[in-house]
């Protein structure tokens, strides 16, 4: 499953799930553009790890909530790589920029969610496709549960924004199909070293115990490496016939019935 000779861009790859994806692609031989917004130190650490895996790449900084920032990312990729084989849309704003319940959410927070996900992804898809040869791979990081439920009230902006991304995946999968470019989305379950770790420690522990107790049938949270493995699989030649799909990489948690206690299900 070698990606030698391929060029990849992973937004939000300085840490967390994005870093896990970048490192897995580097392991497979792809050169990686490491994107960050504020944490330059973390981006440098990611690039060091990319090089330890025998690959190479470069860093670039941009604010994905601003359309001109999104466009600047691809201008830099074109300048450094000349082409793009793999694009993974993973970046999102930090939680305070969008995390508020329905009656409190501001239009600025709403715009931060939609500009970075729906509108930003629309612009990114077209910019990425312009640099891609046949066999290109475009992947979005979704959160399908937040797109179809309403219980996590402060997700009211990001949920619809991610749902719009999922819809764009399907439309662009059809648009890009004749060129041999696939467009898919991955919906990770709760994952270590991600947004989870920005929550209060007692909340983190509550989430871990809930999943270990049975909400995730595999009995653990995911890791950035788990999600990186899924991305690498979709970037292989063997995945060329899969497009327009939303894949839940969650250890089976999306299969659980929310109306019945986990103890009865397992």
């Amino acid at each position: 499953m070698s990606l030698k000779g391929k060029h990849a861009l992973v937004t939000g790859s300085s840490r967390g799930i994005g870093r896990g994806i970048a490192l897995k692609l580097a392991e497979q031989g792809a050169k990686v553009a490491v994107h960050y917004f504020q944490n330059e130190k973390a981006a440098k650490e990611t690039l060091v790890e990319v090089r330890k895996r025998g690959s190479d790449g470069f860093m670039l900084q941009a604010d994905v909530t601003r359309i001109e920032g999104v466009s600047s990312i691809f201008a830099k990729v074109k300048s450094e790589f000349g082409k793009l084989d793999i694009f993974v849309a993973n970046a999102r704003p930090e939680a305070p920029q969008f995390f508020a319940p329905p009656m409190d959410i501001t239009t600025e927070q709403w715009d931060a969610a939609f500009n970075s996900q729906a509108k930003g992804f629309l612009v990114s898809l077209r910019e990425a496709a312009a640099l891609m040869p046949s066999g290109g791979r475009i992947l979005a990081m979704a959160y399908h549960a937040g797109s179809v439920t309403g219980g996590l009230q402060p997700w009211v902006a990001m949920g619809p924004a991610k749902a719009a991304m999922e819809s764009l995946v399907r439309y662009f999968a059809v648009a890009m199909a004749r060129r041999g470019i696939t467009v898919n989305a991955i919906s990770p379950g709760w994952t270590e070293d991600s947004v989870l770790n920005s929550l209060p420690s007692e909340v983190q522990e509550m989430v871990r115990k809930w999943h270990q107790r049975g909400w995730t049938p595999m009995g653990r949270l995911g890791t950035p490496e788990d999600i990186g493995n899924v991305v690498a699989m979709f970037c292989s030649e063997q995945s060329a016939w899969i497009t327009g799909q939303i894949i839940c990489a969650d250890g089976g948690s999306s299969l659980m019935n929310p109306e019945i206690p986990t103890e009865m299900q397992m």
Side-chain angles (χ1 to χ4, degrees), residues 131-155:
L131 298 175
M132 281 188 172
S134 178
R137 299 285 186 267
I138 297 173
L139 291 149
M141 288 295 115
Y143 179 52
H144 188 66
S147 302
V148 297
T149 61
L152 184 57
Q153 291 274 285
W155 201 254

Side-chain angles (χ1 to χ4, degrees), residues 152-171:
L152 184 57
Q153 291 274 285
W155 201 254
V156 66
M158 191 57 73
K162 290 288 190 183
M165 281 184 76
E166 291 183 7
S167 184
L168 283 170
V169 162
R170 292 185 280 270
Y171 280 98

Side-chain angles (χ1 to χ4, degrees), residues 157-210:
M158 191 57 73
K162 290 288 190 183
M165 281 184 76
E166 291 183 7
S167 184
L168 283 170
V169 162
R170 292 185 280 270
Y171 280 98
F172 274 86
V174 174
M176 297 290 102
R178 295 280 183 171
R179 291 181 51 191
I181 296 171
T182 66
V183 187
N184 291 288
I186 297 166
S187 176
W190 280 92
T191 306
E192 295 284 6
D193 192 21
S194 69
V195 67
L196 171 69
N197 300 83
S198 67
L199 301 176
S201 57
E202 60 271 22
V203 175
Q204 293 184 42
E205 194 58 23
M206 189 186 306
V207 171
R208 290 188 184 97
K209 287 181 176 178
W210 174 245

Side-chain angles (χ1 to χ4, degrees), residues 92-100 106 109 198:
R92 60 159 177 75
E94 295 295 335
Q97 288 183 260
F98 67 85
F99 200 71
T106 66
Q109 288 172 311
S198 67

